[in-house]
Amino acid sequence: MADDKTPHPDDFTAEPTAASAADNIAGELPEEPNAPEVGEVETDDAAKAQASAGSEVNELKDKYLRLAAEFENYKRRTAKERTDLFKTANQELMVALLPVLDDFERARTYTKDADDANVVRESIDIIYNKLVKTLQQKGLTGMETKGGAFDPDLHEAITQIPSPSEDLKGKVVDEVEKGYYLGDKVIRHAKVVLGQ
């Protein structure tokens, strides 16, 4: 086995030189030429970094406090505006209805001694038409239900009766209470009677 090229463990042991042994005494690392002395701390860079971090934290705290204060002011302001809006939301409608109220007062005054029922009926009709016109200007419209098909989104069925004719089966025969739209929204469903 003299030909064998496998290295022997004894081949790797080498005697350390005196210079390298003196440099690495007791497991110490060799010194770098620009390394600071042991115990010397780089205070300038650390102090600068800490000061800049501290000022950045203070700026962020200030921004956060200002933002929180602005948000609280916004909440307070919108809550006040909302309560004011609820207080005055019907003001426009009430102002529009005041002339109708005035007409009712005048009709009561002028018809209290009237013996003719037609005079009272005429005054009521005039005031009713004025009230309907005012409400229509504000977006209120009545539903037309009688004779139409039953729609559960628009109608509330109170009862069913035998239909007077074949074409009214499953349709609205009578209207007990009128339904209304405000714009496109149903604000009161019509109470109807259905034909069987």
Side-chain angles (χ1 to χ4, degrees), residues 51 84 92 102 130 148 179 182:
D84 290 346
E92 184 182 341
D102 294 338
K130 187 171 186 177
L182 184 60

Side-chain angles (χ1 to χ4, degrees), residues 107-115 120:
R108 286 182 62 204
T109 303
Y110 292 119
T111 59
K112 70 178 174 184
D113 295 331
D115 294 333
V120 175

Side-chain angles (χ1 to χ4, degrees), residues 12-160:
F12 292 112
T13 57
E15 297 288 325
T17 61
S20 67
D23 289 342
N24 296 325
I25 297 174
E28 290 182 9
L29 295 174
E31 287 187 24
E32 293 183 23
N34 293 331
E37 293 292 324
V38 177
E40 183 182 320
V41 180
E42 295 183 28
T43 56
D44 291 342
D45 291 341
K48 287 178 185 176
Q50 190 175 14
S52 70
S55 67
E56 186 176 338
V57 166
N58 288 338
E59 286 178 26
L60 290 175
K61 280 183 184 178
D62 185 52
K63 284 182 183 179
Y64 169 74
L65 290 175
R66 288 178 188 272
L67 186 63
E70 286 178 20
F71 183 67
E72 285 300 318
N73 290 339
Y74 167 76
K75 284 191 339 186
R76 197 175 310 118
R77 185 175 60 246
T78 54
K80 184 180 183 302
E81 288 173 359
R82 188 173 182 201
T83 55
D84 290 346
L85 180 66
F86 282 136
K87 287 178 184 175
T88 61
N90 295 326
Q91 180 178 353
E92 184 182 341
L93 178 63
M94 294 302 144
V95 168
L97 290 177
L98 287 176
V100 176
L101 185 62
D102 294 338
D103 288 348
F104 268 118
E105 288 176 2
R106 280 192 288 274
R108 286 182 62 204
T109 303
Y110 292 119
T111 59
K112 70 178 174 184
D113 295 331
D115 294 333
D116 189 6
N118 286 334
V119 172
V120 175
R121 187 174 298 122
E122 267 183 46
S123 63
I124 290 174
D125 286 343
I126 291 170
I127 296 170
Y128 174 78
N129 290 334
K130 187 171 186 177
L131 177 63
V132 168
K133 183 180 176 186
T134 303
L135 292 175
Q136 284 176 345
Q137 288 173 348
K138 298 299 175 187
L140 186 75
T141 53
M143 290 182 192
E144 297 298 325
T145 58
K146 206 167 183 182
F150 177 75
D151 184 357
D153 291 333
L154 304 175
H155 308 131
E156 182 180 333
I158 293 179
T159 187
Q160 291 184 348

